[in-house]
């Protein structure tokens, strides 16, 4: 049943009854009775009930029972209140991180759509950004819903990341500028418990200060150039925030 849980959680698999671990074919004496026992064991022991099929085949003149288990659409599939995963030839309980991932798959929610760990959030930084870019007066609850920052249950993790105080484990950023070696710091600062919008603008502010535009003569013309384009820095920030999501999710998994 542990292996049935593992197959239903992660990938299709088959369990063949009537063959020993050393591949010796011993067959099944009472096929119908065994199939009934397997069916009852799965229906009574695995929750939710996975999709499976029982069939028979013959090998070396002996009859075998084949249990085919399909990867389910609603993980995690529990056996005796534990979910399992298959590692080569062994089956083991999933750890907290794997369980959280299975729960996300079963709920069809991305990490940022889950309920936030904090619900007393403010959005002054985000509101100021919308006022500047779109000219809105206030950041309404309807707009927060449209952005996916709040749902019926309250604020989401996306909302927490864009709030003014997302928390130290959800939106912290370390910035450093090195000298001739990694042991020489020309500048170093840490941004903690502040909106990812503020972090993003602070990164661009330092980028402009450290890598200002310069002119280079090319042929008969002077061309303005920059060592690191803002677009490249923006992409790095985007990837960093994605990684931040993953690390924050991992932290939450381990806290379960």
């Amino acid at each position: 049943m542990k292996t049935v849980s593992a197959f239903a959680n992660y990938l299709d698999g088959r369990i063949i009854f009537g063959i020993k671990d050393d591949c010796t074919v011993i067959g099944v004496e009472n096929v119908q009775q065994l199939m009934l026992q397997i069916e009852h064991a799965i229906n009574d022991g695995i929750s939710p009930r996975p999709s499976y099929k029982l069939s028979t085949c013959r090998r070396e003149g002996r009859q075998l029972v084949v249990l085919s288990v399909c990867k389910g659409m609603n993980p995690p599939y529990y056996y005796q209140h534990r979910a399992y995963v298959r590692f080569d030839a062994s089956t083991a309980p999933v750890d907290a991180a794997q369980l959280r991932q299975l729960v996300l798959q079963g709920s069809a929610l991305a990490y940022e759509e889950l309920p936030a760990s904090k619900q007393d959030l403010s959005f002054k930084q985000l509101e100021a950004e919308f006022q500047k870019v779109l000219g809105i007066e206030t950041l309404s609850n309807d707009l927060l819903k449209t952005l996916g920052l709040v749902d019926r249950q309250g604020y989401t993790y996306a909302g927490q990341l864009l709030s003014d105080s997302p928390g130290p484990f959800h939106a912290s950023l370390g910035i450093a500028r090195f000298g001739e070696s990694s042991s020489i710091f020309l500048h170093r600062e840490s941004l903690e418990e502040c909106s990812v919008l503020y972090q993003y603008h602070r990164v661009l502010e330092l980028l402009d200060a450290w890598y200002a535009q310069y002119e280079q003569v090319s042929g008969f013309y002077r061309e303005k150039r920059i060592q690191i384009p803002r677009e490249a820095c923006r992409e790095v920030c985007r990837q960093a925030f994605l990684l931040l999501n993953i690390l924050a999710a991992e932290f939450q998994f381990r806290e379960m």
Side-chain angles (χ1 to χ4, degrees), residues 197-245:
L197 284 172
Y198 174 81
Q199 296 180 31
Y200 171 70
H201 287 301
R202 179 57 178 160
V203 168
L204 292 182
E205 180 183 338
L206 292 174
L207 176 75
D208 292 339
W210 295 341
Y211 302 101
Q213 283 190 348
Y214 63 94
E215 291 186 347
Q216 178 174 331
V217 176
S218 177
F220 294 99
Y221 303 96
R222 288 186 178 182
E223 298 179 353
K224 289 186 177 181
R225 297 193 176 183
I226 189 170
Q227 289 176 284
I228 300 179
R230 268 190 161 218
E231 291 78 5
C233 183
R234 182 180 61 198
E235 180 64 18
V236 170
C237 289
R238 188 182 73 87
Q239 295 295 337
F241 291 140
L242 288 176
L243 178 60
L244 173 68
N245 261 337

Side-chain angles (χ1 to χ4, degrees), residues 85-125:
V85 61
R86 190 74 176 167
F87 293 110
D88 295 327
S90 65
T91 302
V94 300
D95 58 25
Q98 292 169 324
L99 179 60
R100 186 64 171 177
Q101 290 172 337
L102 288 173
V103 171
L104 289 178
Q105 293 174 19
S107 62
L109 292 176
Y111 171 73
E112 62 270 13
E113 295 175 308
L114 293 175
S117 59
K118 295 177 59 178
Q119 290 296 322
D120 54 335
L121 303 178
S122 61
F123 297 91
K124 294 182 180 179
Q125 178 78 24

Side-chain angles (χ1 to χ4, degrees), residues 5 9 23 30 52 58 71 77 99 106 115 136 149-150 163 180 182 196 232 253 256:
S5 166
N9 282 324
C23 296
N30 193 328
Y52 66 93
R58 299 187 69 86
K71 182 182 183 303
Y77 291 85
L99 179 60
I136 66 169
L149 307 186
V150 66
S163 69
E180 296 179 354
S182 58
V196 292
F253 299 155
M256 289 186 59

Side-chain angles (χ1 to χ4, degrees), residues 122-147 149:
S122 61
F123 297 91
K124 294 182 180 179
Q125 178 78 24
L126 183 62
E127 185 176 61
E129 193 75 14
F130 271 93
Q131 289 172 343
K132 180 177 65 175
V133 176
L134 298 179
I136 66 169
E137 293 184 2
T138 59
L139 190 62
S140 66
N141 194 61
D142 289 338
L143 183 53
L144 290 175
K145 288 181 179 179
T146 301
L147 295 171
L149 307 186

Side-chain angles (χ1 to χ4, degrees), residues 1 38-47 49-50 52:
M1 293 301 101
I38 295 171
E39 184 177 346
H40 286 323
I42 293 177
N43 293 343
D44 296 339
I46 307 294
S47 179
R49 186 178 302 172
Y52 66 93

Side-chain angles (χ1 to χ4, degrees), residues 2 67 80 118 178 184 205 214:
K2 295 177 182 179
L67 169 61
Q80 294 183 346
K118 295 177 59 178
F178 298 98
I184 301 176
E205 180 183 338
Y214 63 94

Side-chain angles (χ1 to χ4, degrees), residues 153-173:
Q153 298 180 349
Y155 292 115
T156 63
Y157 266 119
Q160 185 167 340
L161 286 172
L162 287 168
S163 69
D164 298 322
S165 300
F169 297 106
H170 299 278
S172 299
L173 183 66

